[in-house]
Amino acid sequence: EPNIITYNALISACGKGGQWAKALKLFDELQRRGLEPNLIVYDALISACEKGGQWEKALAFFDELQQRGLEPNIITYNALISACEKGGQWEKALAIFDELQ
């Protein structure tokens, strides 16, 4: 039976392979199995979105993780800023950077 660590590894592998849509399907699957996504999973998911040029999805997952009470870390912010940069959203990237200060 796959656990949260298994899903994190799979989502991360999909992201590194440019398979952001598969990463999103795995994220949905882990939740259907009753597993609670942690910050590491969200970081991998945001990174997958970043590599796939899906800055809007990256922002949505960033909002979702905060709504779940998770505290973003530097890895989260780096992936999110990079996602915005790749999407030509430099104003959003700067606004996110300002949150860090």
Side-chain angles (χ1 to χ4, degrees):
E1 184 78 16
N3 63 19
I4 199 69
I5 297 166
T6 311
Y7 278 102
N8 178 55
L10 286 169
I11 290 168
S12 182
C14 288
K16 289 176 181 167
Q19 301 296 312
W20 66 269
K22 180 64 177 166
L24 268 57
K25 287 180 184 169
L26 288 165
F27 182 73
D28 290 341
E29 183 181 308
L30 79 86
Q31 292 181 98
R32 278 196 311 275
R33 289 179 176 255
L35 297 171
E36 189 73 26
N38 59 23
L39 184 61
I40 297 167
V41 168
Y42 275 105
D43 285 349
L45 195 58
I46 290 169
S47 184
C49 291
E50 175 259 326
K51 287 176 178 53
Q54 303 295 311
W55 66 271
E56 291 164 309
K57 286 184 178 14
L59 283 172
F61 286 120
F62 181 76
D63 290 342
E64 184 179 312
L65 77 86
Q66 290 181 302
Q67 288 168 6
R68 288 181 180 256
L70 298 172
E71 190 69 36
N73 61 21
I74 195 68
I75 295 167
T76 316
Y77 281 106
N78 284 347
L80 192 60
I81 288 168
S82 185
C84 290
E85 176 267 322
K86 287 185 177 169
Q89 303 297 311
W90 63 269
E91 296 101 335
K92 287 192 188 331
L94 286 174
I96 292 162
F97 177 75
D98 287 343
E99 283 182 34
L100 282 169
Q101 313 241 357

